[in-house]
Structures are given as C-alpha cells and as structure tokens.
Amino acid sequence: MATETIKVNSREFVVKKYSFPTEQIPRLDYQDKKAEKLIENGQPVILTGSDLVGSAHHWDIGYLCSNLGSGQYTVYSSADGKFKYYDDKKLTQNKQFKPPTTQTDMTFQEFAAKLKRKDNKELMYLQQPLNETVGTRIVMDFTNFNWGWANETQKKNHWGPMTSNLLLVGMEGVITPAHYDEQENLFAQIQGYKRFLLFDPSQFECMYPYPIYHPHDRQSQVDFDNPDLTKFPNFANLKGYEGVVGPRDVLYLPMYWWHQVESLHGHGETISITFWYKAAPTVKVVYPLTSGQKVAIMRNIEKMIAEALNNNESMPSFMQAMVQGRYT
Ligand SMILES: CC1(C)c2ccccc2-c2ccc(C[C@@H](CC(=O)O)C(=O)C(=O)O)cc21
Ligand SMILES: [Zn+2]
C-alpha cells in the first residue's frame, strides 16, 4: 500500500495514499463566526479551543484502567485492521454473510493488558457507550464536559436530543471504512491522532452503499485499497476532504456525510468520545432538496419496496425493471 507523509501543525504523519483527490477540512477556533456558519450550513469543520471534553484531557489508558471500574466493555478485533460496522439485526436476511470482525466482552483492565502484549495477531477497537457502570471520577469528568457550548450548538442548529456518547479506544492503525450515519456528530479527540476522510452526501453515486437490508447498510461496498472500477465506475470521480484531529480537537461531522477514519501510527492508542444528536425535525420542506435529504428519500423508498416485496432476492430485478430503458 502506497503511503505519503503529510504535515499537520508542524507534526508529520505517514498516511495511506488513495486514488481520489482531497481538500483540507477547515480548522477554526470554535468561537470563530466562520465556524458557526459552517455548522449552520451542515459543513464539516475541525474546531480548536472548545474544551468540549477539557475535563477528560488527562484520560489515558492507565487512568481509564484505574477509574472505569470492572464493567464489561465491547472490544472488536480484526485481522486486517478494518472495522466495518455490521447490523446484527440484519444477519437473518443474509445467510451467507460472514462478519468481518469478532466481538468480545472484557473488562477495561483485560483490554489494557492485551494492548501491552507484543504478540497480538489482530488489531483491537474498544467501543462502549459511557454509562453508569463507570467509576465516580469518570462520572465527574463527564459532568465537567463543556455542556454549555454543546447544548448551545445543539439548540442554535435545531438538532434533536443527544442520543449517546461512545467511548472509543483504538490501537494505532485501526480503520473504520467509509460509511455515513444518520445523526449529527460532535467528535471529540482526547488522545492520539485520527485522519478523517470525508465525502459530501452528493458523492452518493461514487460510494455504492450496500443494499438497505444488508448488514453493512450505510457502508460503502468499494474497497478503497483496491477499488473495482468495473463494478463501481463512478468511484473514479470521487472527490473528498481530509483532516487530522489530535488531542483537544473537535470535528463537527454532519449527518449523511461519508467518512473513513484512520488511527495514525506513531502516536499511541487513540481515545475519542462521540456526541451524537438526532436530526433536526423537518418542519417545512424547502426546495431545492439537500443531497442529504435525497439520501433519506432513497432510503425510505428502498425500505418501502423491501417491505412490499417481502423478498429481498426480488429487489434487484424489481428496481431494474423500474429504471432500465426508462430512466437510464
Ligand atoms: C468501528 C467502531 C468501533 C464500531 C464497531 C461496531 C459498531 C459501531 C462502531 C463504531 C461507531 C463509531 C465509531 C467512531 C467513528 C469512527 C472512528 O473514529 O474510527 C465514527 O464512525 C463516528 O463517529 O461516526 C467507531 C466504531
Ligand atoms: Zn460514523
């Protein structure tokens, strides 16, 4: 795999080289009016100085070990370091699907001990909602997050309620392949460095998501390391944005924006916390529709057809009958 060295804020990172061009994600102080404008317009921006999780800046593996308590944590393992999310509620509809990662529950202390081993065959990624099982000092750190700013941002942009805060601890080199989420996300980086590759929802035609009933719904079918341009020709027209988030940075990741996330080598395990918010309720449809709204419409139609046909195997021929020679 070809790599290139990029410089970010006087730091150098060796990153994987891909076939598509990218521009830089804007990086602005969180109080900059331009940053607020970008968030208002559903555009990604890396925010500095927010101290959104300032009370967690001292979180490292050791501190988490001592203060997370003895609750069970979900740890994913992957031989190729890629962690493609899959919806296990959709496994029944795909008999031949084989999960690309394995999932183990263990205490944080067991996870930390595994991190130290040199003979790990697989990369590991801990992903766990912050909940009441954590120790009192973590709860205190959590209550001291900059909720004033977070709540103000949520209100100003008419986001729905915050749904979850995920604690993420990844080994260097873990990759979350390209996918989109249906919630607004304030992504706070605590330790280590993560490279974000972002793609506007209008790039939908280049990303070829799995069918909606597939366990990998919302994920791109394209292997970024070896794109099959016969099957996915429009991938050749993909244009993206990229940026590196480090400790204290917060990325505003708008709903429906595609993202691939890579924990960079040379800077230790990555620790991140996500703040996910439900979408703003659509009070009045304004034309022209945004590309995110078009994705939502496509999803609803796919769901309706899958439900009406009640037979996923007949979806392809049905969908093609609808467009072949008529809309093509
Ligand atoms: C890959 C992993 C651990 C996972 C496994 C199984 C189920 C869910 C998830 C899940 C959800 C979110 C992330 C964080 C981030 C990607 C990144 O930071 O790597 C991202 O995509 C976002 O913030 O939207 C990572 C994961
Ligand atoms: Zn995501």
Side-chain angles (χ1 to χ4, degrees):
M1 185 66 208
T3 59
E4 58 185 346
T5 305
I6 57 170
K7 264 175 82 73
V8 176
N9 286 15
S10 76
R11 280 177 187 281
E12 291 205 347
F13 300 95
V14 176
V15 297
K16 293 171 75 170
K17 199 162 167 38
Y18 293 110
S19 58
F20 47 80
T22 57
E23 286 172 51
Q24 281 304 308
I25 301 168
R27 188 184 178 80
L28 298 165
D29 182 276
Y30 83 117
Q31 292 178 316
D32 186 325
K33 285 281 165 260
K34 287 203 297 291
E36 286 181 25
K37 202 81 199 124
L38 286 167
I39 298 175
E40 216 174 281
N41 297 334
Q43 297 291 318
V45 53
I46 295 175
L47 304 163
T48 58
S50 76
D51 268 349
L52 173 58
V53 292
S55 53
H57 284 156
H58 59 291
W59 287 10
D60 58 18
I61 302 294
Y63 180 87
L64 293 177
C65 239
S66 319
N67 292 284
L68 271 181
S70 53
Q72 292 289 304
Y73 285 77
T74 310
V75 176
Y76 297 89
S77 300
S78 161
D80 67 0
K82 290 181 181 176
F83 291 80
K84 208 184 241 182
Y85 167 75
Y86 66 90
D87 179 347
D88 45 17
K89 292 189 295 302
K90 296 183 176 172
L91 290 180
T92 47
Q93 304 179 43
N94 288 270
K95 298 280 178 288
Q96 72 284 7
F97 177 77
K98 56 180 184 39
T101 56
T102 52
Q103 178 181 334
T104 322
D105 287 349
M106 61 182 83
T107 63
F108 196 91
Q109 294 75 21
E110 287 165 333
F111 173 64
K114 281 175 175 292
L115 288 178
K116 285 204 181 83
R117 296 176 55 155
K118 295 283 165 268
D119 60 349
N120 285 318
K121 299 262 178 310
E122 304 206 324
L123 290 187
M124 290 184 290
Y125 209 153
L126 180 142
Q127 178 257 25
Q128 180 72 29
L130 279 177
N131 54 34
E132 57 295 330
T133 65
V134 300
T136 45
R137 284 178 56 187
I138 300 285
V139 171
M140 203 168 65
D141 296 338
F142 182 85
T143 44
N144 290 328
F145 287 171
N146 186 347
W147 293 109
W149 174 73
N151 299 340
E152 184 195 314
T153 306
Q154 172 190 16
K155 211 165 65 253
K156 247 193 298 198
N157 295 288
H158 312 296
W159 294 344
M162 191 181 79
T163 55
S164 66
N165 296 99
L166 272 194
L167 170 67
L168 295 143
V169 182
M171 290 171 84
E172 290 185 5
V174 301
I175 292 180
T176 303
H179 69 281
Y180 67 87
D181 300 300
E182 296 180 273
Q183 301 206 3
E184 301 290 354
N185 185 354
L186 289 175
F187 185 96
Q189 188 63 10
I190 293 171
Q191 294 291 347
Y193 290 81
K194 278 181 169 178
R195 179 199 197 190
F196 274 79
L197 294 163
L198 301 186
F199 308 93
D200 186 301
S202 64
Q203 302 277 298
F204 183 93
E205 289 87 341
C206 306
M207 298 296 270
Y208 301 91
Y210 285 86
I212 199 152
Y213 48 70
H214 192 283
H216 283 325
D217 172 29
R218 291 184 292 112
Q219 324 272 324
S220 172
Q221 296 178 89
V222 186
D223 174 357
F224 274 29
D225 295 330
N226 182 20
D228 177 345
L229 297 184
T230 313
K231 247 180 113 179
F232 310 120
N234 280 332
F235 186 77
N237 311 323
L238 183 66
K239 292 191 312 299
Y241 295 85
E242 73 171 285
V244 172
V245 293
R248 302 171 183 245
D249 289 341
V250 175
L251 166 72
Y252 165 57
L253 177 51
M255 185 170 63
Y256 292 118
W257 273 68
W258 294 88
H259 46 288
Q260 170 147 321
V261 191
E262 308 181 351
S263 288
L264 298 180
H265 287 280
H267 299 272
E269 288 85 15
T270 53
I271 302 177
S272 320
I273 295 185
T274 63
F275 293 65
W276 267 313
Y277 296 85
K278 275 216 166 34
T282 308
V283 278
K284 187 174 173 307
V285 177
V286 176
Y287 290 96
L289 296 173
T290 65
S291 39
Q293 285 172 319
K294 287 179 191 164
V295 173
I297 292 170
M298 281 192 267
R299 287 186 66 81
N300 288 337
I301 290 174
E302 275 187 52
K303 281 178 195 163
M304 276 161 46
I305 294 178
E307 224 164 275
L309 292 181
N310 190 32
N311 165 2
N312 292 340
E313 279 68 47
S314 65
M315 279 282 280
S317 53
F318 184 91
M319 306 275 275
Q320 278 158 44
M322 239 164 64
V323 299
Q324 292 292 27
R326 302 182 61 225
Y327 288 95
T328 47

